[in-house]
Amino acid sequence: MGSLWRKTSDHKIENEVKYGIYYQYESNYRGDYTLAIAAETPVSNEKFVIPNQEYAVFECLQDEQSIGEAWKKIWHLKKKF
């Protein structure tokens, strides 16, 4: 996972928005899943299309503390289901 994030960081543009897209969950947030990383500025010719289904957006800064806080919010919500 870290290597995917670093790949987008190699093409660093100040204040660029990046997206971590977690999908194809085996069960819940503890099971296997697929991860895609996207940025506003293309790093490759690959395209990702979000299916027309329910999803959630969690915004955070690009630092460990902010990312950790975002994951705490995700885990808290998922425990309710």
Side-chain angles (χ1 to χ4, degrees), residues 17-49:
V17 175
K18 295 181 184 160
Y19 305 91
I21 305 161
Y22 298 81
Y23 62 105
Q24 294 179 335
Y25 280 85
E26 176 182 87
S27 55
N28 59 20
Y29 68 92
R30 293 177 183 219
D32 289 341
Y33 56 83
T34 302
L35 167 64
I37 308 262
E40 289 182 321
T41 303
V43 177
S44 72
N45 291 329
E46 295 179 61
K47 298 206 184 292
F48 188 87
V49 177

Side-chain angles (χ1 to χ4, degrees), residues 30-72:
R30 293 177 183 219
D32 289 341
Y33 56 83
T34 302
L35 167 64
I37 308 262
E40 289 182 321
T41 303
V43 177
S44 72
N45 291 329
E46 295 179 61
K47 298 206 184 292
F48 188 87
V49 177
I50 298 174
N52 188 15
Q53 63 188 40
E54 184 178 344
Y55 63 91
V57 175
F58 298 87
E59 295 183 22
C60 65
L61 300 175
Q62 295 179 36
D63 62 74
E64 286 186 34
Q65 182 176 352
S66 297
I67 293 168
E69 291 300 317
W71 274 107
K72 286 179 187 176

